[in-house]
């Protein structure tokens, strides 16, 4: 028997082995946390062939480090970066051109995690990357490198001292591991290079005899320095070349208040917190929605927006009511107003022509405002949380000082983001001439109060403008869609049988069949869009002897394959949803599951999670049960095929009768929902006609046709989601994953109500969802069937977005879904493509006693964190899908316009002092028709009057017009954009 020795730690060691800190709870209580740490002397260094360390895993670092640096070409080196390198220069660290062996300290990882969770996730991915050599050294647990915080020492200084101590230990360790051999020359020892942009830390390191470098100085010594220098963040750069002495620059923006002052002001109600939203029609205007006011707080002018960028969480100060203003009624384009601005001179002292032009625009607007439309107005006094990330941009060719393609001189240029909601970004690059006509990725680093524009750095080129590959990748990046291939750890979670996996023969001992109902004999079918491969759901219906009807929804049992707390589960949670583009799908789960093992394909046995109701002939629920099951779908129909089958009087087989029965029930279910006040809203949905299944060239655009079978599927999915929501909320009242749609503030509808009343004499009652639904039904123009759809689209835009939430996090009376008029709702029916549905499956499985619930789904804070990510991914996926459609609509229009003049019917949806906003329903796109000439504008009645000889032409909101649609390429950015002009009732070209 092995001898066990019990050793008692001396009290004198407690000061080193215990970590003490104070923590504030959510309720504001301060608690002391004491953590024990066990120090050891066998934490490995990670260097190959080190005789002093016992490595239990494959080492990553070569024995002599890297010789690919001018300063260490003879003896080799390792890089040991401090925390700020990863916080400021992550793009450099991720570049495949930057490949020295890296020692990553535990101290650095923990500090990055505390400072920025997104950067920490990128750092974890970097460590796992196959093309990087990174060793994590747990310096806090090695007895020689552990440090404790000294009296009066800040946490940052303590961490810096720990990093220097670990660097010194590595240098000493390398020399001890390679002792000189008698009679032989002393072997050259690799250098451990401390990489830091902290000047004070560098000075202390140099005093301690350590080799240290700034990031810029280090990069200048590597082979690919020209390209890597462009990746450096301006925030970490030592050699920014100001156009004038900083002290002499005039401040263009006010200083931000300290964070403590901001938080105190928000808590007391003197300041208000919300997300900054830029105005897509006027770059000199923004708004912030805050709980204290029904209408958003208006921000007018650069000074009052104070360097806020789309999506930032800001603190705003609201002015006295006498100083409130109305939103602008003029289109103000950034590129047109600032076309002559110089990237090098945009920090110059004094007012230039561009500043004067902006001031003139604002003064003109304020002079024309009416008192009736004023809303809360204020200014940004601080940033609570930045939303900066990498943005897809184009280089503005007019900002280049040299277009010589062989020039390697550094130039300051403007990068114009693809999104109209973002400001131009100043960046310094040596590659400017080569980047003209390319889509590039740019990250914002800082925005000084002395600079009109934010400063950033070049990350990488995506490809030639308007090439489908570059456009597709840029679209995914623009909307932050994760699209990396699934890694080995994720793929290892899949069944080892791969495509050959099948449901095993029925057996009481087989775990796959445990507590599952055998529903393989049921007449089950699926109804989906054409070409659908990830079939989530199937349905069945049959008459019961008692005169009632049994109806069932059978959903792919994804949670059988995606187990909690596995690499595949973590990846699905990070992706949140599958993203559907016109010619590509970015899957949430590996294709083996999504399009095969979980897809309910016909004539194949599949594992399912079934919701089965007994319904009366009037579609009232008698009872409902939930069960894990095995099904074998009898057919996979498209909506059109199911519709044809249902309508064919000659067909009376069991499958057809099942579809008819389902359809009859669906009609009654829908009637019941509408009677309860559900809304029948609309969105502009179009279908892109591609040249062929192999080609992604669009040839035409058409509106999606909705059939009765679309509604059939929708009604039963809604019923399943509502039934499951009730069950999981009853079982897990604190952590149920639900979805809600809050009632919109009545102020959101004020403008639409006013337009309808003045232009069409119609009223919109928004007192309840039922009243709104009824009044939308009455908004009908007998001469124009599309008018009702247009009003529904505009009403949809007045709504709040639906969101996932944790049931224990909000008041019970806010659970309801306004649009569906349901008191409770969740998503259960699409687990292949939505992570929220996977969570609902796990909770329902536990609710029926099939499995126990994973501990993470008992944690309210964990569920909240996961759903915050899922909500963001869901929003971004919707925007990416819409942007993909818009891009392909543009390609189709370009192809058409080369053969003919494209003229389409459109409705006027907005009126400006210098233009019209129009909606082309056949193409599903909006556009601007702008006028350079002076026109008359009646803001109160939403009418513009265009001088046209003796008979002026008046056009108002909701009028039907004809527009000429063209796609033109911007001369500076090379970006293709849709341009519209009126062709009827007046030709606006040249106006």
């Amino acid at each position: 028997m092995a001898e066990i020795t019990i050793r008692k730690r001396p009290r004198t060691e407690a000061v080193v082995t215990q970590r003490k800190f104070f923590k504030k709870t959510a309720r504001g209580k301060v608690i002391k946390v004491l953590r024990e740490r066990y120090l050891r002397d066998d934490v490995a260094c990670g260097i190959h062939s080190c005789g002093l360390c016992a490595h239990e895993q494959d080492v990553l670092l070569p024995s002599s480090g890297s010789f690919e640096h001018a300063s260490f070409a003879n003896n080799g080196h390792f890089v040991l970066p401090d925390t700020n390198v990863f916080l400021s220069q992550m793009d450099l660290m991720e570049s495949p051109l930057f490949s020295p062996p890296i020692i990553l300290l535990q101290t650095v990882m923990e500090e990055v995690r505390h400072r920025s969770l997104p950067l920490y996730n990128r750092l974890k991915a970097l460590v796992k990357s196959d093309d990087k050599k990174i060793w994590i050294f747990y310096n806090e647990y090695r007895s020689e490198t552990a440090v404790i915080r000294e009296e009066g020492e800040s946490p940052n200084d303590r961490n810096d001292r720990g990093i220097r101590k670990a660097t010194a230990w590595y240098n000493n360790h390398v020399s001890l591991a390679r002792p000189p051999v008698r009679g032989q020359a002393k072997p050259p020892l690799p250098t451990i290079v401390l990489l830091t942009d902290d000047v004070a830390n560098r000075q202390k390191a140099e005093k301690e005899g350590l080799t240290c470098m700034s990031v810029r100085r280090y990069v200048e010594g590597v082979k690919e320095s020209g390209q890597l220098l462009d990746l450096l963040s301006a925030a970490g750069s030592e050699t920014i070349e100001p156009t004038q002495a900083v002290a002499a620059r005039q401040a263009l923006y006010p200083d931000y208040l300290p964070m403590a002052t901001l938080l105190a002001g928000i808590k007391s109600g003197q300041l208000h917190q919300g997300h900054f939203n830029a105005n897509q029609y006027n770059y000199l205007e923004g708004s912030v929605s805050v709980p204290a006011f029904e209408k958003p707080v208006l921000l007018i002018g650069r000074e009052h927006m104070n360097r806020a960028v789309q999506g930032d969480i800001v603190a705003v100060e609201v002015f006295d009511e006498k100083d409130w203003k109305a939103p602008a009624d003029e289109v103000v384009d950034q590129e047109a107003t600032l076309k002559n601005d110089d990237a090098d001179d945009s920090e110059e002292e004094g007012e230039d022509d561009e500043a004067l032009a902006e001031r003139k625009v604002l003064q003109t607007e304020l002079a024309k405002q009416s008192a009736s439309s004023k809303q809360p107005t204020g200014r940004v006094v601080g940033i609570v949380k930045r939303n900066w990330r990498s943005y897809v941009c184009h280089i503005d060719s007019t900002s280049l000082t040299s277009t010589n393609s062989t020039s390697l001189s550094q130039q300051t240029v403007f990068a114009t983001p693809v999104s109209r909601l973002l400001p131009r970004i100043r960046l310094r690059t040596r590659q400017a001439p080569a980047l003209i006509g390319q889509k590039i990725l740019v990250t914002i680093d800082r925005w000084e109060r002395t600079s009109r524009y934010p400063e950033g750095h070049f990350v990488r080129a995506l490809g030639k403008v308007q090439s489908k590959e570059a456009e597709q990748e840029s679209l995914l990046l623009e909307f932050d869609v994760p699209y990396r291939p699934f890694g080995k750890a994720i793929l290892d979670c899949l069944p080892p049988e791969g495509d050959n996996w099948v449901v095993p023969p029925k057996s009481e001992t087989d775990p796959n069949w445990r507590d599952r109902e055998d529903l393989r004999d049921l007449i089950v079918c699926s109804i989906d869009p054409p070409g659908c491969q990830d079939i989530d759901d199937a349905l069945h219906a049959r008459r019961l002897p008692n005169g009632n009807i049994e109806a069932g929804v059978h959903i792919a049992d994804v949670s059988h394959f995606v187990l909690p707390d596995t690499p595949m589960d973590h990846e699905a949670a990070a992706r949140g949803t599958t993203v559907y583009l016109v010619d590509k799908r970015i899957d949430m789960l590996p294709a083996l599951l999504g399009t095969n093992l979980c897809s309910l394909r016909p004539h194949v046995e599949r594992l399912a999670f079934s919701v089965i109701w007994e319904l009366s002939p009037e579609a009232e629920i008698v009872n409902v049960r939930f069960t894990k099951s095995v099904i074998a779908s009898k057919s996979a129909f498209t909506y059109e095929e199911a519709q044809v089958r249902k309508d064919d009087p000659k067909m009376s087989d069991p499958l057809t009768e099942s579809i008819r029965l389902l359809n009859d029930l669906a009609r009654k279910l829908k009637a019941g929902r509408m009677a309860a006040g559900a809304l029948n809203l609309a969105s502009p949905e179009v279908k892109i006609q591609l040249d062929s299944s192999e080609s992604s060239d669009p040839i035409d655009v058409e509106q999606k046709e909705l059939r009765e079978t679309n509604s059939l599927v929708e009604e039963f999915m809604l019923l399943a989601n509502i039934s499951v929501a009730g069950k999981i909320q009853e079982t897990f009242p604190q952590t149920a994953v639900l979805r809600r749609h809050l009632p919109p503030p009545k102020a959101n509808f004020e403008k639409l109500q006013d337009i309808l009343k003045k232009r069409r004499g119609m009223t919109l009652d928004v007192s309840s969802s039922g009243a709104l639904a009824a009044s939308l039904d009455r908004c009908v123009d007998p001469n124009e069937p599309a008018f009702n759809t247009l009003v529904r689209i505009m009403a949809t835009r007045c709504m709040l977005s639906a969101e996932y939430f944790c049931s224990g996090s909000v008041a019970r009376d806010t659970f309801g879904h306004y649009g569906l008029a349901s008191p409770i709702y969740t998503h259960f029916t699409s687990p292949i493509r939505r992570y929220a549905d996977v969570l609902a499956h796990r909770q329902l499985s536990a609710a029926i006693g099939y499995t126990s619930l994973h501990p993470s789904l008992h944690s309210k804070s964990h569920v909240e964190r996961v759903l915050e990510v899922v909500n963001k991914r869901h929003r971004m996926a919707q925007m990416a899908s819409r942007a993909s459609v818009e891009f392909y609509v543009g390609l189709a229009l370009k192809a058409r316009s080369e053969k003919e003049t494209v003229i389409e019917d459109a409705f006027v949806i907005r009126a400006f002092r210098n233009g019209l906003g129009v909606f082309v329903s056949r193409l599903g796109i909006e556009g601007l028709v702008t006028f350079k000439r002076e026109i008359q504008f009646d803001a109160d009645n939403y009418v513009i009057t265009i001088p046209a000889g003796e008979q002026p032409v008046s056009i108002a909101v909701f009028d039907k017009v004809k527009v000429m649609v063209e796609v033109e390429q911007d001369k500076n950015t090379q970006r293709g954009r849709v341009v519209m002009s009126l062709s009827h009732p007046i030709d606006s070209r040249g106006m």
Side-chain angles (χ1 to χ4, degrees):
M1 184 174 175
E3 185 179 342
I4 298 174
T5 305
I6 298 174
R7 298 174 62 193
K8 191 172 182 180
R9 175 177 290 147
R11 282 195 174 189
T12 52
E13 284 188 19
V15 70
V16 179
T17 59
Q18 288 179 351
R19 295 181 69 185
K20 180 177 69 174
F21 58 92
F22 295 92
K23 181 181 176 184
K24 185 181 277 190
T25 66
R27 294 186 177 180
K29 187 179 177 183
V30 177
I31 58 173
K32 183 169 78 172
V33 179
L34 193 65
R35 285 189 182 153
E36 187 80 9
R37 62 173 174 178
Y38 296 91
L39 301 182
R40 43 202 296 167
D41 55 10
D42 60 349
V43 178
C45 68
I47 298 174
H48 185 66
S49 69
C50 174
L52 302 179
C53 296
H55 292 105
E56 295 181 1
Q57 54 179 298
D58 294 337
V59 290
L60 294 176
L61 306 181
S63 57
S64 296
S66 169
F67 296 90
E68 302 291 321
H69 194 282
S71 302
F72 311 104
N74 297 323
N75 59 333
H77 75 292
F78 301 92
V79 167
L80 194 153
D82 76 351
T83 308
N84 286 320
V85 173
F86 289 106
L87 292 174
S88 301
Q89 308 291 359
M90 188 61 87
D91 289 322
L92 170 73
M93 306 304 286
E94 289 175 331
S95 170
L97 299 176
F98 188 79
S99 56
I102 296 171
I103 298 165
L104 176 57
L105 299 183
Q106 175 193 0
T107 301
V108 171
M109 283 201 78
E110 288 181 356
E111 196 172 1
V112 170
R113 181 166 61 88
H114 291 141
R115 298 274 293 276
S116 171
L117 199 55
L119 284 174
Y120 177 67
N121 290 331
R122 287 172 69 182
L123 179 55
K124 287 197 299 183
L126 190 68
V127 170
K128 295 174 185 173
S129 175
D130 294 334
D131 60 347
K132 296 288 182 182
K133 298 186 282 289
I134 301 176
W135 178 262
I136 300 174
F137 179 64
Y138 291 90
N139 61 305
E140 300 285 357
Y141 296 124
R142 176 118 192 174
S143 54
E144 300 101 313
T145 57
V147 295
I148 57 166
R149 188 173 161 192
E150 296 173 351
E151 192 173 342
E153 187 177 41
S154 71
N156 187 58
D157 288 343
R158 178 258 179 210
N159 289 341
D160 285 347
R161 185 162 56 83
I163 291 167
R164 294 196 302 275
K165 188 169 185 179
T167 308
W169 178 85
Y170 255 101
N171 276 314
N172 185 53
H173 183 76
V174 167
S175 64
L176 292 175
R178 306 175 193 209
V181 179
R182 185 180 295 177
Q184 294 182 13
K186 189 177 179 181
L189 298 177
T191 306
I192 313 299
V193 182
L194 174 58
L195 212 57
T196 176
D197 278 332
D198 184 334
V199 176
N201 197 22
R202 273 209 309 274
Q203 289 171 347
K204 289 176 183 176
E206 286 166 355
K207 280 184 183 176
E208 294 170 15
L210 302 176
T211 302
C212 58
M213 285 187 174
S214 70
V215 176
R216 178 171 288 274
R217 189 177 149 217
Y218 179 84
V219 170
E220 285 170 349
V222 302
K223 279 185 177 179
E224 306 289 346
S225 60
Q227 293 180 54
L228 289 174
L229 283 169
D230 278 354
L231 294 176
L232 293 189
S233 158
S237 175
E238 299 173 301
T239 56
I240 295 295
E241 311 136 20
T243 52
Q244 290 187 325
V246 173
R249 287 192 205 142
Q250 178 179 331
L252 302 174
Y253 303 98
D255 261 334
Y256 292 139
L257 295 179
M259 184 58 75
T261 309
L262 291 181
L263 297 178
I266 292 165
K267 192 172 183 180
S268 67
Q270 292 177 308
L271 302 177
H272 304 272
Q273 177 178 311
H275 286 87
F276 173 77
N277 292 300
N279 185 331
Q280 63 173 324
Y281 297 111
N282 182 349
Y283 79 99
L284 292 175
E285 198 172 274
S287 63
V288 179
S289 294
V290 300
F293 298 98
E294 275 201 334
K295 290 185 176 180
V297 177
L298 187 63
L299 310 170
I300 300 174
R302 281 181 182 275
E303 187 180 339
H304 290 163
M305 290 191 284
N306 199 3
R307 296 166 284 161
V309 173
Q310 176 72 14
D312 285 349
I313 300 175
V314 299
V316 294
E317 175 190 18
V318 177
F319 302 148
D320 291 338
E321 195 166 344
K322 63 182 173 60
D323 296 320
W324 289 6
K325 304 285 189 285
D329 51 20
E330 186 168 353
V331 178
V332 183
D333 183 54
Q334 178 177 220
E335 289 179 28
T337 310
L338 303 176
K339 61 185 176 185
N340 298 321
D341 209 356
D342 188 331
D344 264 326
D345 295 336
S346 63
E347 293 180 313
E348 290 287 329
E349 182 183 4
E351 286 202 333
D352 52 19
D353 293 342
E354 284 68 36
L356 292 170
E358 288 181 350
R359 181 163 293 184
K360 185 178 177 183
V361 168
L362 291 173
Q363 288 171 346
T364 305
E365 281 299 323
L366 293 175
K368 295 174 180 175
Q369 288 192 347
S370 62
S372 61
S373 56
K374 289 184 177 179
Q375 66 188 66
T377 307
R379 65 189 182 104
V380 171
V381 294
I383 306 292
V384 178
K385 187 180 180 184
R386 283 290 190 192
N387 187 43
W388 290 352
R389 54 183 177 83
S390 295
Y391 299 104
V392 180
C393 302
H394 307 82
I395 294 290
D396 186 340
S397 60
T398 60
S399 64
L400 268 68
T401 53
S402 169
T403 55
N404 185 350
S405 59
T406 59
S407 169
L408 292 177
S409 60
Q410 190 177 60
Q411 298 186 52
T412 302
V413 296
F414 281 130
T416 304
V418 169
S419 172
R420 295 173 63 88
L421 302 175
L422 299 167
R424 293 198 283 186
I425 303 167
R426 294 173 72 239
L427 62 92
R428 294 178 171 87
T429 175
R430 291 170 171 78
Q431 303 175 60
L435 297 177
I436 297 293
Q438 299 266 328
K439 284 212 160 188
I440 64 170
L441 207 56
V442 173
T443 295
I444 296 179
D445 299 320
R446 63 183 180 188
W447 196 343
E448 302 290 352
R449 58 195 291 259
T450 54
S451 173
R452 183 178 292 132
Y453 303 101
E455 289 189 55
H457 67 271
F458 167 75
V459 179
R460 64 186 175 96
L462 303 176
K464 195 169 174 57
V465 167
Q466 293 192 322
S467 70
K468 277 198 279 288
E469 296 75 16
E471 293 290 347
Q472 197 168 68
E473 187 179 10
S474 71
L475 189 148
L476 296 172
L477 290 164
E478 184 65 24
F479 296 104
D480 201 17
V481 175
Y483 62 100
R484 59 191 174 274
F486 292 103
K488 183 177 183 299
I490 297 161
L491 298 177
D492 285 346
C493 297
L494 296 169
E497 300 90 343
D499 285 315
N500 297 321
W501 183 92
V502 293
V503 176
K506 188 173 182 180
S507 164
E508 291 183 6
T509 58
D510 193 304
N512 288 290
W513 279 93
R514 180 181 64 84
D515 297 336
R516 284 189 186 271
E517 280 195 43
D518 186 353
L519 305 179
R520 291 176 294 179
D521 292 335
L522 280 181
I523 307 296
V524 172
C525 68
S526 60
I527 306 174
D528 291 285
C532 181
Q533 294 178 303
D534 48 347
I535 303 173
D536 286 289
D537 54 87
L539 306 103
H540 89 273
R542 62 181 178 180
R543 296 192 183 276
L544 298 173
N546 64 1
N548 287 338
I549 301 162
E550 179 187 274
V553 165
H554 311 277
I555 307 299
D557 191 5
V558 172
S559 59
H560 176 85
F561 297 95
V562 183
L563 302 177
D565 205 20
T566 60
M568 185 154 61
D569 182 49
H570 296 157
E571 182 68 14
R575 294 187 179 219
T577 180
T578 292
V579 181
Y580 293 90
L581 308 181
V582 169
D583 66 339
K584 190 174 184 179
R585 188 182 66 239
I586 312 298
D587 290 318
M588 181 183 83
L589 296 172
L592 177 64
L593 292 185
T595 62
N596 189 351
L597 306 191
C598 290
S599 185
L600 305 182
R601 302 194 299 189
H603 315 299
V604 182
E605 293 178 1
R606 286 287 179 252
L607 303 181
F609 209 153
S610 300
V611 184
I612 300 172
W613 302 271
E614 183 181 341
L615 300 168
S616 72
E618 296 308 310
E620 293 166 348
I621 298 175
V622 177
N623 63 59
V624 59
R625 63 190 177 90
F626 310 94
T627 180
K628 294 270 188 164
S629 61
V630 178
I631 66 165
S633 174
K634 303 301 181 277
S635 189
F637 297 115
T638 64
Y639 291 119
E640 185 178 6
E641 289 167 349
Q643 187 73 42
V644 168
R645 195 177 187 106
K646 180 190 79 68
D647 295 339
D648 188 347
K650 296 175 185 174
M651 301 195 78
S652 57
D653 57 280
L655 202 49
T656 306
E657 290 301 324
S658 175
I659 293 172
R660 288 176 183 148
L661 200 51
L662 287 165
N663 191 66
D664 185 50
L665 290 168
R667 281 205 305 266
K668 292 168 182 173
L669 288 169
K670 185 171 185 177
R673 278 198 312 112
M674 293 301 164
L679 294 170
N680 185 14
L681 297 171
S683 61
E685 290 198 62
V686 296
K687 180 181 174 185
I688 309 293
Q689 289 254 357
L690 298 178
D691 197 5
S692 66
S693 57
E694 290 79 26
S695 166
S696 58
D697 293 327
I699 54 173
D700 202 2
V701 183
E702 60 182 37
Q703 284 185 292
K704 281 188 180 176
E705 186 181 349
L706 295 180
R707 298 178 171 83
E708 209 176 9
T709 45
N710 289 77
S711 182
L712 180 162
V713 174
E714 181 186 5
E715 289 305 320
F716 276 99
M717 297 307 115
L718 294 176
L719 188 63
N721 289 333
I722 292 168
S723 298
V724 170
K727 180 68 176 177
I728 62 176
Q729 199 277 326
E730 176 190 313
T731 313
F732 306 108
Q734 287 299 304
T735 58
V737 174
L738 302 176
R739 187 167 175 81
R740 66 177 179 172
H741 183 208
L742 292 172
K746 291 182 173 57
N748 286 19
F749 287 95
E750 284 179 1
K751 189 141 194 169
L752 180 57
Q753 285 174 307
D754 193 46
I755 295 171
L756 279 168
K757 189 172 184 180
K758 288 176 177 174
R759 300 310 318 157
R760 294 297 179 108
M762 299 174 177
T763 57
L764 203 61
D765 184 352
V766 296
S767 57
S768 68
S769 62
L772 177 58
S775 54
L776 283 172
D777 288 341
R778 291 192 294 270
C779 291
V780 175
D781 182 344
N783 300 320
E784 190 50 67
F787 173 72
N788 184 257
T789 304
L790 177 69
V791 175
R792 290 182 191 277
I793 289 171
M794 294 175 76
T796 304
R797 293 176 182 180
C798 300
M799 300 283 178
L800 300 175
S801 297
E803 62 180 3
Y804 298 107
F805 70 100
C806 175
S807 59
S809 304
V810 302
R812 181 66 181 84
D813 60 357
T814 64
F815 278 20
H817 196 293
Y818 179 81
L820 298 174
S822 175
I824 194 167
Y825 192 66
T826 192
H827 271 165
F828 167 80
T829 54
S830 295
I832 292 175
R833 58 187 180 89
R834 290 189 307 231
Y835 188 69
D837 300 53
V838 176
L839 298 181
H841 274 236
R842 289 174 184 162
Q843 290 184 331
L844 183 62
S845 180
I848 63 173
Y850 185 82
T851 55
S852 59
L853 191 63
H854 191 267
S856 64
L857 287 179
H858 282 298
S859 164
K860 191 165 73 172
S861 59
H862 174 81
V863 173
E864 286 172 349
R865 280 197 306 273
V866 171
L867 294 184
E868 184 182 355
V869 174
V870 171
N871 278 322
K872 179 194 169 190
R873 294 294 187 208
H874 190 75
R875 285 192 303 272
M876 290 300 201
Q878 287 180 319
M879 290 191 283
S881 296
R882 284 198 289 267
S884 176
V885 169
E886 285 175 14
F887 171 64
Y888 273 87
V889 167
L891 288 183
L893 285 172
K894 189 177 180 184
R896 268 181 66 192
S897 61
E898 288 170 358
K899 301 173 188 172
E900 60 183 9
T901 303
V902 180
I903 295 178
E904 296 283 353
D905 288 331
F907 279 103
V908 177
I909 56 172
R910 287 194 68 168
F912 298 99
R913 196 171 296 282
N914 60 341
L916 295 169
V918 297
F919 175 67
V920 183
S921 56
R922 200 183 83 81
L923 303 176
I925 59 171
E926 285 181 38
L928 271 175
V929 176
T930 55
F931 304 99
K932 296 189 178 78
R933 277 197 221 161
E934 190 75 25
I935 60 172
Q936 293 176 18
F937 176 54
D938 182 350
D940 290 333
N941 292 302
Y942 310 101
V943 180
I944 65 163
T945 304
I946 307 166
E950 296 179 5
Q951 192 66 38
V953 176
S954 293
I955 304 173
V957 172
F958 288 141
D959 283 359
K960 193 171 182 180
V961 296
K962 287 189 181 291
V963 293
M964 191 178 301
V965 187
E966 299 172 284
V967 179
E968 70 173 31
Q969 203 168 29
D970 187 285
K971 293 185 181 69
N972 294 332
T973 65
Q974 303 299 305
R975 181 171 61 197
R977 60 176 183 171
V978 174
V979 178
M980 295 188 188
S981 57
L982 288 178
S983 71
H984 179 79
I986 189 171
D987 190 335
S988 69
R989 287 176 296 176
M991 298 182 70

